[in-house]
Amino acid sequence: MEKILRINMGAEGGPSFSEAPIGELAGLGGRGLTSAIISKEVPPTCHPLGAENKLVIAPGLLSGTMAAMSGRISIGCKSPLTGGIKESNSGGQPAQVLARLGYAAIVLEGKPAGDDLYKIFINKDGVRISVDNSLKMLGNYALIERMKGEFGDKIACISIGQAGEMRLPAASVACTDVEVRPARHAGRGGPGAVMGSKGVKVIVLDDNGVTMRQPKDPDKFREANKAFIEGLRKHGVTGEALPAYGTNVLTNILNEAGGYPTYNFKEGRFAGASRISGETMAGVETERGGVPTHGCHRGCVIRCSGIYNDKDGHYLSKQPEYETVWAHGGNCGIDDMDKIALMDFIDDDTGLDTIEMGVTIGIAMEAGLLKFGDASAAVDLLREVGKGTPLGRIIGSGAAVAGKVFGVERVPVVKGQALPAYDPRAVKGMGVTYATSTMGADHTAGYATATNILKSGGYVDPLKTEGQVELSRNLQIATAAIDSTGMCLFIAFAVLDQPETFQALLDLLNSFYGLNLTADNVAELGKSILKLERDFNFRAGFTKEQDRLPGFFKSQFVQPHNVNFDVTDEELDQVFNF
Amino acid sequence: MMSDPDRARELRVVMKRADAGVFMPLLQEGFIVRCKTGITIEDLLREDFGIARDYMEKRLSTVFLDGQCIDDIDSAIVHGGAVLALSSAMPGLVGATLRRKGILASMRASITHRGQTGQAVSAGEGFVTIKLFNVLAGELGPVFLARGIYVKAAGMKDFLQKRGGPFWSAISRTIFDGRQIDREKLPDALGDEAGALIMLRLAAP
Ligand code: SF4
């Protein structure tokens, strides 16, 4: 992780690459690194699909080490969906492999003149960039099978499907999992379209012959990792609920709370929720010989993922996450688990953000193109994207575009990005984060909950009825910091409730790098990342007027609690006052 | 329209308590119990169902009464006809937000239960709908099933028709209306009178 690989796809005479020491960016990883490079090197007003934009792929500070949970990868660019800065995060194997190969980041720059499609192979011996037009318009699954045939099955891949090649704003970047399936995605904000604009179909990584990254103080590091794992295992969320039921365990809870957006955010409860809950899904997976507990990368000890088989016991998709089940399920009035898993597969194969697609289909339903609850029609509509039909391209452009094309008023987006699975009228603190996040409506922006431990914005009295702004601010700071470590954000619960687990995380960083970081330093890191991102958006033309939820959240009350979003604009403007 | 629970026919299922998790779909969907009403959640669970206070403190991390988030189970009153949902600690920002007395409680202030409004609720007996989510279904399911739960006959029929081998191998015998009955005949025996209830009770082998 001492070097940065820059690949200039627009170089004269064909793509060229160079490697340089990380230099002044040392100490940054994951989101910290992607946002630092984008904010410094990409003109904020550039076209996201133009030569000036860059795609930065960065493992976290602890990726490639023995540290548990450290295999998340950050992919940054100027977003074609939001027009602002973007960091999209994914699990899978590439973070570990890339870090072990010694790279703190890969930066794809420039733009090729022709329409050739490239594959890039990286191993200990170097980098090989070659034209392979036979890969054109392959889905991710077929593509990875081809790569396995060519490079063996010990590889990790970063790739795009048809959506990325068509440079659709909802296109994701796929990362292969432990079984070398392209089932983990940096989905949000269209990074796949930027990769497509660079003409890169796939980056194949092979760490054969390289070793694990070694800490400065191995004994302390081992101890810290042990304490960290113990903390995760003994906590109710990371040790029980997530492994048993995955993130979809939230379906029943949100539905009960009346905060489960249903029929394109028209209602707060879905009658079919229990048929698509995490509890039901885990039962189906077990019955069909799938796997309800599975890690998206080696070294994950929470293992919130799983394998979802069809009725005949064959692989259908990885276990869809809560947001996916909601987007294609309750949001579209669909309670057919098999069809939801199929749509998850189509999203992964075509290379699409599942949240954006579910919300967009919901808008098409609201417009009358298909009926709410019609799962087969939803599957057919999604397939249009991969075929590249005009209708498919509209759907693949995301909710904001589809809302305009189909003449729908209730379009749940912020900064052009679709809202995730929590109604901000019921859980208003989520609404504050959706509105003000530098990323557009993003549930992970304020996911980390170490706020009071980090004391990044002062202690917030939990029983006060105010405080959503302060909390949202603290959460966004803490999240930005955790996103830089390469740690999965799900560690946040154990870190929140168990100070010794938070200390173990600090010890991991300190013993690995020979540092003496404190909680304050971590909070400062988070703040500095947010400031960079905010500044980029400002220079791209964003104003506080973009830090707002769509008007219908104020004017339309949601049942069963009959609530609206009533946090004032003045309060929202306080989030970034640090 | 739901029919009178007193007219419900009884389905007794002979099986090990430890296997009660096979009823997860019914437990998460919600079932009706006859119980004390007009008392706090804590008193109801402790006095009526024998659930230890310590267990509640450690395991009941997320609680809803009529869809509202509960922070204090020792002050929220359960009235007749209430819906009480119980869950363990949940992931995500939103999971932390909904958690009882969590540090993010203010983020869902508008759906937080703030005590009874209107008429005072007097203590008595009545019917309450209980929903058990995630790991709590396995842990608390046996407690409620041993005492007997009311579920809609149509829902029970649908549930039984969808069950596969693992479900039936957990069950040694089924007794309907006091008579042993073959599993093949059971769905039809339940009938499909609209709103009719079945009292489902778990019995040790
Ligand atoms: S907890 Fe889930 S998302 Fe996080 S690393 Fe493990 S499998 Fe991946």
PDB file of all heavy atoms in Angstrom, chain A residues 416-429:
ATOM      1  N   GLY A 416     -30.439  13.980  -6.978  1.00  0.00           N
ATOM      2  CA  GLY A 416     -30.584  13.052  -8.101  1.00  0.00           C
ATOM      3  C   GLY A 416     -30.464  11.594  -7.743  1.00  0.00           C
ATOM      4  O   GLY A 416     -30.604  10.729  -8.610  1.00  0.00           O
ATOM      5  N   GLN A 417     -30.208  11.268  -6.488  1.00  0.00           N
ATOM      6  CA  GLN A 417     -30.016   9.867  -6.092  1.00  0.00           C
ATOM      7  C   GLN A 417     -31.213   9.381  -5.273  1.00  0.00           C
ATOM      8  O   GLN A 417     -31.706  10.092  -4.384  1.00  0.00           O
ATOM      9  CB  GLN A 417     -28.725   9.726  -5.277  1.00  0.00           C
ATOM     10  CG  GLN A 417     -28.457   8.292  -4.816  1.00  0.00           C
ATOM     11  CD  GLN A 417     -27.059   8.127  -4.239  1.00  0.00           C
ATOM     12  OE1 GLN A 417     -26.074   8.157  -4.957  1.00  0.00           O
ATOM     13  NE2 GLN A 417     -26.970   7.961  -2.941  1.00  0.00           N
ATOM     14  N   ALA A 418     -31.657   8.160  -5.578  1.00  0.00           N
ATOM     15  CA  ALA A 418     -32.864   7.618  -4.936  1.00  0.00           C
ATOM     16  C   ALA A 418     -32.677   7.384  -3.441  1.00  0.00           C
ATOM     17  O   ALA A 418     -31.613   6.967  -2.991  1.00  0.00           O
ATOM     18  CB  ALA A 418     -33.247   6.305  -5.614  1.00  0.00           C
ATOM     19  N   LEU A 419     -33.745   7.653  -2.702  1.00  0.00           N
ATOM     20  CA  LEU A 419     -33.717   7.413  -1.254  1.00  0.00           C
ATOM     21  C   LEU A 419     -33.730   5.917  -0.977  1.00  0.00           C
ATOM     22  O   LEU A 419     -34.417   5.171  -1.659  1.00  0.00           O
ATOM     23  CB  LEU A 419     -34.959   8.025  -0.599  1.00  0.00           C
ATOM     24  CG  LEU A 419     -34.777   9.338   0.140  1.00  0.00           C
ATOM     25  CD1 LEU A 419     -34.542  10.453  -0.862  1.00  0.00           C
ATOM     26  CD2 LEU A 419     -35.993   9.668   0.991  1.00  0.00           C
ATOM     27  N   PRO A 420     -33.017   5.516   0.054  1.00  0.00           N
ATOM     28  CA  PRO A 420     -33.081   4.117   0.474  1.00  0.00           C
ATOM     29  C   PRO A 420     -34.306   3.815   1.341  1.00  0.00           C
ATOM     30  O   PRO A 420     -35.237   4.606   1.419  1.00  0.00           O
ATOM     31  CB  PRO A 420     -31.788   3.912   1.242  1.00  0.00           C
ATOM     32  CG  PRO A 420     -31.006   5.152   1.081  1.00  0.00           C
ATOM     33  CD  PRO A 420     -31.990   6.235   0.764  1.00  0.00           C
ATOM     34  N   ALA A 421     -34.208   2.709   2.072  1.00  0.00           N
ATOM     35  CA  ALA A 421     -35.374   1.992   2.587  1.00  0.00           C
ATOM     36  C   ALA A 421     -35.965   2.463   3.910  1.00  0.00           C
ATOM     37  O   ALA A 421     -36.509   1.662   4.636  1.00  0.00           O
ATOM     38  CB  ALA A 421     -34.960   0.531   2.719  1.00  0.00           C
ATOM     39  N   TYR A 422     -35.835   3.718   4.239  1.00  0.00           N
ATOM     40  CA  TYR A 422     -36.373   4.181   5.517  1.00  0.00           C
ATOM     41  C   TYR A 422     -37.136   5.469   5.260  1.00  0.00           C
ATOM     42  O   TYR A 422     -36.562   6.404   4.693  1.00  0.00           O
ATOM     43  CB  TYR A 422     -35.244   4.445   6.524  1.00  0.00           C
ATOM     44  CG  TYR A 422     -34.149   3.402   6.475  1.00  0.00           C
ATOM     45  CD1 TYR A 422     -33.029   3.583   5.671  1.00  0.00           C
ATOM     46  CD2 TYR A 422     -34.263   2.233   7.211  1.00  0.00           C
ATOM     47  CE1 TYR A 422     -32.042   2.621   5.597  1.00  0.00           C
ATOM     48  CE2 TYR A 422     -33.276   1.265   7.146  1.00  0.00           C
ATOM     49  CZ  TYR A 422     -32.159   1.468   6.335  1.00  0.00           C
ATOM     50  OH  TYR A 422     -31.189   0.511   6.261  1.00  0.00           O
ATOM     51  N   ASP A 423     -38.383   5.520   5.668  1.00  0.00           N
ATOM     52  CA  ASP A 423     -39.157   6.728   5.391  1.00  0.00           C
ATOM     53  C   ASP A 423     -38.725   7.852   6.311  1.00  0.00           C
ATOM     54  O   ASP A 423     -38.809   7.723   7.533  1.00  0.00           O
ATOM     55  CB  ASP A 423     -40.655   6.456   5.544  1.00  0.00           C
ATOM     56  CG  ASP A 423     -41.460   7.522   4.828  1.00  0.00           C
ATOM     57  OD1 ASP A 423     -41.270   8.716   5.154  1.00  0.00           O
ATOM     58  OD2 ASP A 423     -42.234   7.180   3.932  1.00  0.00           O
ATOM     59  N   PRO A 424     -38.246   8.958   5.740  1.00  0.00           N
ATOM     60  CA  PRO A 424     -37.714  10.041   6.569  1.00  0.00           C
ATOM     61  C   PRO A 424     -38.792  10.793   7.335  1.00  0.00           C
ATOM     62  O   PRO A 424     -38.479  11.629   8.165  1.00  0.00           O
ATOM     63  CB  PRO A 424     -37.037  10.965   5.554  1.00  0.00           C
ATOM     64  CG  PRO A 424     -37.731  10.704   4.269  1.00  0.00           C
ATOM     65  CD  PRO A 424     -38.153   9.266   4.306  1.00  0.00           C
ATOM     66  N   ARG A 425     -40.069  10.503   7.033  1.00  0.00           N
ATOM     67  CA  ARG A 425     -41.130  11.138   7.813  1.00  0.00           C
ATOM     68  C   ARG A 425     -41.303  10.422   9.143  1.00  0.00           C
ATOM     69  O   ARG A 425     -41.678  11.031  10.139  1.00  0.00           O
ATOM     70  CB  ARG A 425     -42.444  11.131   7.021  1.00  0.00           C
ATOM     71  CG  ARG A 425     -42.406  12.049   5.829  1.00  0.00           C
ATOM     72  CD  ARG A 425     -43.525  11.767   4.843  1.00  0.00           C
ATOM     73  NE  ARG A 425     -43.313  10.520   4.121  1.00  0.00           N
ATOM     74  CZ  ARG A 425     -43.996  10.151   3.041  1.00  0.00           C
ATOM     75  NH1 ARG A 425     -44.943  10.935   2.564  1.00  0.00           N
ATOM     76  NH2 ARG A 425     -43.744   9.011   2.432  1.00  0.00           N
ATOM     77  N   ALA A 426     -41.016   9.118   9.174  1.00  0.00           N
ATOM     78  CA  ALA A 426     -41.136   8.368  10.429  1.00  0.00           C
ATOM     79  C   ALA A 426     -39.838   8.449  11.226  1.00  0.00           C
ATOM     80  O   ALA A 426     -39.855   8.613  12.445  1.00  0.00           O
ATOM     81  CB  ALA A 426     -41.491   6.911  10.134  1.00  0.00           C
ATOM     82  N   VAL A 427     -38.719   8.307  10.544  1.00  0.00           N
ATOM     83  CA  VAL A 427     -37.424   8.359  11.226  1.00  0.00           C
ATOM     84  C   VAL A 427     -36.718   9.610  10.702  1.00  0.00           C
ATOM     85  O   VAL A 427     -35.946   9.559   9.755  1.00  0.00           O
ATOM     86  CB  VAL A 427     -36.602   7.082  10.963  1.00  0.00           C
ATOM     87  CG1 VAL A 427     -35.362   7.058  11.849  1.00  0.00           C
ATOM     88  CG2 VAL A 427     -37.428   5.836  11.232  1.00  0.00           C
ATOM     89  N   LYS A 428     -37.022  10.728  11.331  1.00  0.00           N
ATOM     90  CA  LYS A 428     -36.618  12.022  10.760  1.00  0.00           C
ATOM     91  C   LYS A 428     -35.107  12.237  10.746  1.00  0.00           C
ATOM     92  O   LYS A 428     -34.584  12.946   9.899  1.00  0.00           O
ATOM     93  CB  LYS A 428     -37.316  13.153  11.508  1.00  0.00           C
ATOM     94  CG  LYS A 428     -38.808  13.065  11.303  1.00  0.00           C
ATOM     95  CD  LYS A 428     -39.564  14.179  11.936  1.00  0.00           C
ATOM     96  CE  LYS A 428     -41.040  13.802  11.874  1.00  0.00           C
ATOM     97  NZ  LYS A 428     -41.957  14.829  12.237  1.00  0.00           N
ATOM     98  N   GLY A 429     -34.433  11.609  11.692  1.00  0.00           N
ATOM     99  CA  GLY A 429     -32.980  11.730  11.714  1.00  0.00           C
ATOM    100  C   GLY A 429     -32.369  11.191  10.435  1.00  0.00           C
ATOM    101  O   GLY A 429     -31.359  11.709   9.938  1.00  0.00           O
TER     102      GLY A 429
END
